[in-house]
Amino acid sequence: MLGTVLFVLTVVGSGSLVESRGHYADPRCVSRGCPADTTCRVVYRCPTPASCYLVAECLDEPPYWSQTGLCKYGDPIVIELSRGKYRDTQCGHRLRDCPNSTYCNDLLSGFYSTCCLSDPVAPVKPGKCPRNSYPFDKQDCTAYCLNDGDCLGDEKCCRAGCDSRCFHPERSDNGNTWSPTLILNDS
């Protein structure tokens, strides 16, 4: 059965970050201060395989392929395809790992996963991570979150085997325990 899922994310945050298109601007872009006729994006640069880094750049043209509005902080991290042509990073099972301080955002799972800046505030949400929360392929060691702030609603960022994922917390309410529910798309 095919269906459509609509995610609505409301963010209430500290005044130290600038709100942009319903989410917060990447602090690196805020400090970069690009001219109005350019687009600031964080680029994953690897001059050599051993020396990769993230840098905010003012792009004359928007990225060739990009899913803006997907990340809570900034837009997806981009890589350069060819001189002046950029696209979002792609991550997930059997793809590249995301750079430090970013996680693999899979809100459009089955279609599109990209690297996003992790929540720099690193909030801790109430509840505990569920026990035995790893019903997945143990070869998928992707960080789908780095802290609770990367997860929607009341979900917590939990270790799940060799990766991390967002789960609803275990809670006891009048003796009832809720377990995580996760729907996977096998594509």
Side-chain angles (χ1 to χ4, degrees):
M1 184 167 111
L2 296 175
T4 303
V5 177
L6 174 65
F7 288 101
V8 177
L9 177 63
T10 303
V11 179
V12 178
S14 67
S16 64
L17 297 170
V18 177
E19 193 167 352
S20 168
R21 290 192 302 267
H23 62 276
Y24 296 99
D26 188 304
R28 287 171 279 229
C29 281
V30 172
S31 63
R32 174 71 190 221
C34 290
D37 62 338
T38 64
T39 302
C40 183
R41 293 299 293 272
V42 176
V43 179
Y44 186 47
R45 292 255 179 237
C46 290
T48 67
S51 64
C52 296
Y53 60 94
L54 296 172
V55 61
E57 293 187 8
C58 304
L59 306 180
D60 291 327
E61 295 181 31
Y64 171 73
W65 173 256
S66 184
Q67 184 64 43
T68 59
L70 186 64
C71 301
K72 181 177 176 181
Y73 288 89
D75 287 317
I77 307 301
V78 295
I79 58 173
E80 192 168 19
L81 297 173
S82 61
R83 191 157 180 79
K85 300 293 181 191
Y86 299 86
R87 74 160 170 78
D88 289 352
T89 51
Q90 294 178 320
C91 57
H93 187 55
R94 297 188 180 103
L95 294 172
R96 81 173 65 215
D97 291 332
C98 290
N100 289 340
S101 75
T102 69
Y103 69 99
C104 187
N105 183 320
D106 66 343
L107 284 178
L108 300 177
S109 184
F111 170 70
Y112 194 82
S113 295
T114 188
C115 300
C116 293
L117 173 67
S118 183
D119 188 332
V121 177
V124 176
K125 296 178 183 175
K128 295 187 320 189
C129 286
R131 286 170 275 147
N132 303 322
S133 57
Y134 197 79
F136 311 106
D137 177 359
K138 295 195 186 299
Q139 294 178 353
D140 181 8
C141 294
T142 304
Y144 292 101
C145 58
L146 295 183
N147 64 61
D148 290 353
D150 300 334
C151 301
L152 295 174
D154 69 342
E155 292 180 330
K156 294 186 65 64
C157 183
C158 304
R159 294 294 307 159
C162 62
D163 70 4
S164 58
R165 293 181 183 265
C166 296
F167 289 100
H168 289 288
E170 274 189 357
R171 291 190 208 152
S172 183
D173 181 19
N174 298 329
N176 296 324
T177 301
W178 293 292
S179 297
T181 302
L182 184 63
I183 300 169
L184 294 177
N185 183 353
D186 279 45
S187 44

